[in-house]
């Protein structure tokens, strides 16, 4: 009897898993993801904060800053939006600048989820992406630090200021 119950439980678990896969539900990305990306300025620290997600679409903030090994990199922030599919393919598209350092342009990310990690390629949209030195953008690697969205002070303060100034 015990063997039949455990077999029945295993079948129910498989059916539940199959139903979820059949629905094709997108994984949740909400939270803070931190790591690095590589572009013309070299290795740069990155915190990608996803503060809103509805189904497969999401929005948030891309906050970049100098890591210890590259103090010449600058700090900045822009809004992002994107989507994730049931297989874990992620597309992050740059939105509007919140804090733009001189000489910097926004970048997009395209990658895949692997557990609590995300990695892939960094791209720049034309017309900026057509300049030869932008070909130096390469890869990114992020790890989920928290499922709670914690927006950096630089992004929050400057985003609020931009919204207030835009409302005038």
């Amino acid at each position: 009897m015990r063997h039949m119950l455990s077999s029945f439980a295993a079948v129910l678990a498989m059916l539940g898993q199959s139903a979820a896969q059949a629905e094709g539900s997108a994984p949740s990305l909400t939270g803070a993801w931190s790591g690095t990306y590589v572009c013309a300025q070299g290795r740069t620290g990155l915190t990608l904060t996803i503060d809103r997600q509805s189904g497969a679409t999401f929005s948030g903030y891309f906050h970049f800053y100098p890591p210890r090994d590259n103090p010449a990199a600058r700090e900045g922030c822009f809004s992002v939006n994107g989507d994730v599919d049931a297989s874990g393919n992620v597309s992050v598209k740059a939105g509007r600048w919140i804090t733009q350092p001189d000489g910097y342009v926004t970048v997009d990310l395209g990658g895949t989820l692997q557990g609590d990690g995300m990695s892939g390629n960094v791209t720049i949209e034309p017309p900026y992406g057509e300049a030869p030195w932008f070909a130096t953008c390469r890869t990114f690697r992020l790890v989920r630090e928290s499922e709670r969205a914690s927006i950096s002070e630089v992004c929050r303060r400057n985003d609020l200021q931009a919204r207030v100034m835009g409302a005038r």
Side-chain angles (χ1 to χ4, degrees):
M1 179 70 169
R2 180 178 288 184
H3 178 67
M4 280 181 31
L5 286 176
S6 63
S7 295
F8 183 66
V11 169
L12 285 176
M14 286 177 14
L15 287 174
Q17 187 177 18
S18 296
Q21 289 171 342
E23 288 177 18
S25 58
S28 172
L29 297 181
T30 304
W33 299 76
S34 65
T36 60
Y37 73 104
V38 178
C39 259
Q41 71 275 11
R43 193 168 161 275
T44 305
L46 165 60
T47 299
L48 179 67
T49 302
I50 306 302
D51 62 347
R52 290 186 181 100
Q53 183 171 350
S54 177
T57 61
F58 60 84
S59 64
Y61 297 90
F62 187 112
H63 175 220
F64 58 93
Y65 46 88
R68 284 189 209 122
D69 62 345
N70 185 11
R74 304 280 305 276
E75 182 174 27
C77 186
F78 53 89
S79 66
V80 295
N81 58 66
D83 55 74
V84 57
D85 68 20
S87 299
N89 297 306
V90 181
S91 175
V92 180
K93 298 293 184 190
R96 64 180 172 74
W97 276 107
I98 297 168
T99 303
Q100 181 180 12
D102 289 340
Y104 278 65
V105 298
T106 59
V107 297
D108 297 333
L109 306 175
T112 56
L113 292 173
Q114 303 97 26
D116 273 348
M118 183 188 321
S119 62
N121 296 309
V122 180
T123 58
I124 298 174
E125 291 298 314
Y128 302 114
E130 296 167 356
W133 65 277
F134 285 113
T136 61
C137 287
R138 303 243 186 270
T139 60
F140 74 94
R141 291 192 179 281
L142 300 171
V143 174
R144 180 182 259 162
E145 295 294 328
S146 169
E147 290 185 9
R148 194 173 136 253
S150 178
I151 301 166
S152 79
E153 184 60 29
V154 168
C155 296
R156 182 184 6 259
R157 180 175 11 100
N158 292 337
D159 190 31
L160 178 62
Q161 185 178 23
R163 290 176 193 229
V164 169
M165 295 300 285
R168 292 182 183 192

